[in-house]
């Protein structure tokens, strides 16, 4: 069912949450109860002044009634439905379910995320048991020590007299080996405990670091005030794994350098005039576009430019940072859509690509994307530069000429674009035309 035909269901859901009777809502909106009943059962379309009046009575923005659940929630529901091979969930009705029962939809999405996190934790711990060199070395040392203790004890337990000097030597060996075994056991427990915390909560160090940024809203006032990034990282990374703390320090050092080069008060004043245009702002501050994109994504939530998302990838195309928007989710696992301008930018270094994007199969908002690839380090003689690509995304205003937006996906598994030449695997949405490569 198309998203714009679910407005009535969302009106009914919101009215029920508020405990408002149908007759009361109809009276305040200036229509009959019978007509409102038709609207709530999606038998009459609604728009214009009536939609504004009903939204005002219900205390929500009109877009919440017409657009429904955000794209990330819909994508999560579809992934949850497709995770089980025996699932009989109707993938094409995920939007309807999220629109009519948003609370249950969020609960299901959170449960799916928790299950996925636990599955990845089990995989990570199993892989560590099989391939972790430190764990293997520690277990080998413990087994060798236990064998030595048992050998010495068996000699002392044998019948017959043992020379006192040899007896003292065996006792000393058992004492020393027992102390070493206790020390190795404590070290192993400490190692598993410290490493296990990160695996349980976020699985990978990159996800741990990203979780810290998300919890802070991607904005750190302490860095803006000039506090050293190492001190900020020490306070925020107490519960992280060692690898995640290293990534956090590096990310905060970069953000601190960006804040020093582009002070917040001057940038906010320029943003109020120019909006979220990284090229215009880069020209005003004589800055490179990638730094300006990072700086815009690190602004406070009440910045005049509105929400700004960011994706960064290395030369292999692997994401190293992601700040999603409600209408532009960025997957935590797996590969992203190769049609994002983030990836073509790698083949055109220093060229800024500007695209208007919209997710295929959805009627969500259009976003404006800017992408650029720049060297990640200073040049060295006789060596090709190592590139790093940035893609900034922000809500796009409707163009005067009606310029269409390019259709992209989140990832191939849940992409509704038909006949896509960049498709890596068939879509789970079930349309036969999507299976063609």
């Amino acid at each position: 069912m198309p998203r714009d035909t679910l407005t009535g269901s969302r009106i009914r859901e919101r009215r029920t949450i508020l405990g408002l009777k149908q007759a009361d809502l109809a009276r305040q909106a200036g229509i009959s109860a019978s007509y409102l009943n038709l609207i709530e059962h999606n038998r009459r379309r609604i728009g214009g002044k009536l939609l504004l009046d009903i939204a005002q009575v219900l205390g929500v923005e009109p877009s919440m009634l017409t657009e429904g659940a955000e794209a990330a929630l819909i994508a999560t529901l579809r992934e949850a439905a497709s995770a089980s091979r025996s699932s009989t969930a109707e993938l094409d009705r995920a939007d309807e379910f999220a629109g009519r029962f948003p609370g249950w939809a969020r609960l299901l999405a959170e449960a799916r995320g928790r299950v996925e996190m636990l599955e990845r934790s089990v995989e990570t711990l199993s892989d560590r048991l099989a391939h972790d060199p430190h764990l293997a070395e520690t277990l080998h040392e413990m087994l060798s020590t236990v064998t030595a203790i048992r050998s010495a004890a068996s000699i002392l337990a044998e019948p017959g007299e043992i020379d006192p000097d040899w007896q003292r030597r065996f006792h000393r060996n058992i004492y020393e080996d027992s102390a070493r075994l206790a020390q190795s056991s404590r070290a192993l427990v400490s190692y598993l405990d410290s490493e296990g915390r990160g695996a349980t909560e976020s699985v990978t160090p990159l996800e741990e670091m990203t979780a810290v940024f998300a919890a802070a809203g991607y904005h750190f006032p302490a860095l803006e005030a000039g506090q050293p990034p190492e001190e900020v990282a020490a306070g925020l990374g107490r519960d992280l794994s060692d690898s995640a703390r290293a990534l956090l320090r590096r990310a905060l050092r970069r953000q601190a350098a960006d804040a020093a080069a582009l002070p917040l008060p001057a940038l906010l004043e320029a943003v109020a005039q120019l909006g979220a245009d990284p090229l215009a702002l880069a020209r005003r501050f004589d800055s490179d576009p990638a730094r300006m994109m990072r700086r815009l994504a690190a602004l406070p939530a009440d910045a005049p430019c509105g929400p700004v998302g960011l994706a960064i990838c290395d030369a292999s195309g692997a994401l190293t940072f992601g700040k999603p928007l409600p209408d532009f989710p960025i997957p935590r696992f797996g590969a992203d859509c190769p049609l994002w301008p983030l990836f073509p930018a790698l083949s055109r270094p220093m060229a800024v690509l500007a695209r208007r994007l919209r997710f295929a199969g959805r009627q969500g908002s259009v976003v404006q994307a800017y992408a650029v690839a720049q060297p990640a380090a200073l040049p060295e003689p006789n060596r090709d530069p190592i590139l790093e690509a940035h893609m900034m995304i922000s809500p796009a205003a409707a163009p005067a000429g009606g310029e269409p937006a390019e259709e992209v996906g989140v990832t191939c598994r849940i992409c509704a674009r038909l006949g896509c030449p960049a498709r890596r695997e068939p879509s789970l949405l079930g349309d036969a035309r999507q299976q063609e490569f």
Side-chain angles (χ1 to χ4, degrees), residues 34-334:
S34 59
Y35 187 66
L36 177 59
N37 184 65
L38 293 175
I39 292 176
E40 289 190 349
H41 286 82
N42 302 307
R43 297 177 183 175
R44 292 292 186 275
R45 291 184 177 271
I46 179 175
K49 183 177 182 301
L50 180 56
L51 176 63
L52 297 178
D53 292 341
I54 291 180
Q56 183 178 5
V57 175
L58 296 177
V60 297
E61 293 292 329
S63 60
M64 291 295 295
L65 301 176
T66 57
E67 296 179 7
E70 63 184 26
L73 178 58
I74 303 300
T76 303
L77 290 175
R78 287 174 173 162
E79 289 178 352
S82 61
S84 175
R85 294 184 178 180
S86 60
S87 174
T88 58
E90 299 84 353
L91 292 174
D92 59 337
R93 303 186 67 182
D95 192 12
E96 180 182 359
F97 174 71
R100 296 185 61 183
F101 309 105
W104 282 104
R106 284 190 292 270
L107 178 63
L108 179 60
E110 292 172 2
R112 169 58 188 164
R114 179 66 176 169
V115 169
E116 189 175 57
M117 179 187 69
L118 293 175
E119 289 176 347
R120 293 296 294 266
S121 297
V122 171
E123 292 177 4
T124 302
L125 294 174
S126 299
D127 183 71
R128 286 176 56 205
L129 288 173
H131 303 99
D132 191 327
H134 178 77
L135 181 60
E137 180 181 354
T138 303
L139 290 176
H140 176 73
E141 180 182 354
M142 293 176 64
L143 291 174
S144 300
T145 306
V146 169
T147 302
I149 293 174
R150 190 174 189 279
S151 298
S154 64
I155 294 175
L156 292 174
E158 290 179 355
E161 295 291 334
I162 300 179
D163 184 80
D165 290 338
W166 279 102
Q167 190 176 39
R168 286 192 295 270
R169 183 176 300 178
F170 285 131
H171 284 152
R172 185 174 63 252
N173 289 343
I174 291 176
Y175 172 78
E176 293 175 352
D177 289 340
S178 299
R180 188 167 64 252
L181 178 62
Q183 182 179 1
S184 299
S185 301
R186 287 193 297 269
L188 178 60
V189 170
S190 176
Y191 172 73
L192 292 176
D193 181 65
S194 62
E195 292 294 320
R197 282 198 303 270
T200 300
E201 295 183 2
S202 297
V203 182
T204 68
L206 179 60
E207 291 166 10
E208 291 184 73
M209 184 270 291
T210 303
V212 173
F213 271 75
Y218 300 88
H219 175 71
F220 299 91
L223 294 181
E224 305 291 346
Q227 184 175 350
E230 289 76 12
E231 295 182 6
V232 179
L236 296 174
R238 284 189 293 267
D239 297 329
L240 304 183
S241 64
D242 293 340
S243 298
R245 282 195 292 269
L247 291 178
L248 181 62
R249 286 192 296 268
R250 184 175 67 178
L252 291 180
R253 280 196 293 267
R254 171 182 262 191
Q255 189 157 327
D258 293 342
L262 300 168
L264 184 60
L267 182 58
L268 289 176
E269 181 180 353
V271 164
Q273 301 174 5
L274 302 175
D277 186 337
L279 293 182
L281 292 168
R283 286 191 291 267
R284 170 168 292 194
F285 289 93
D286 193 23
S287 171
D288 65 83
R291 166 167 279 178
M292 185 58 67
M293 292 178 187
R294 294 195 302 268
R295 196 71 179 105
L296 288 173
L299 292 179
D302 58 353
C305 61
V308 173
L310 181 68
I312 303 176
C313 74
D314 60 19
S316 70
L319 280 185
T320 58
F321 184 85
K323 178 188 177 184
L325 291 181
D327 285 317
F328 203 99
I330 297 176
R332 291 179 58 197
F333 307 110

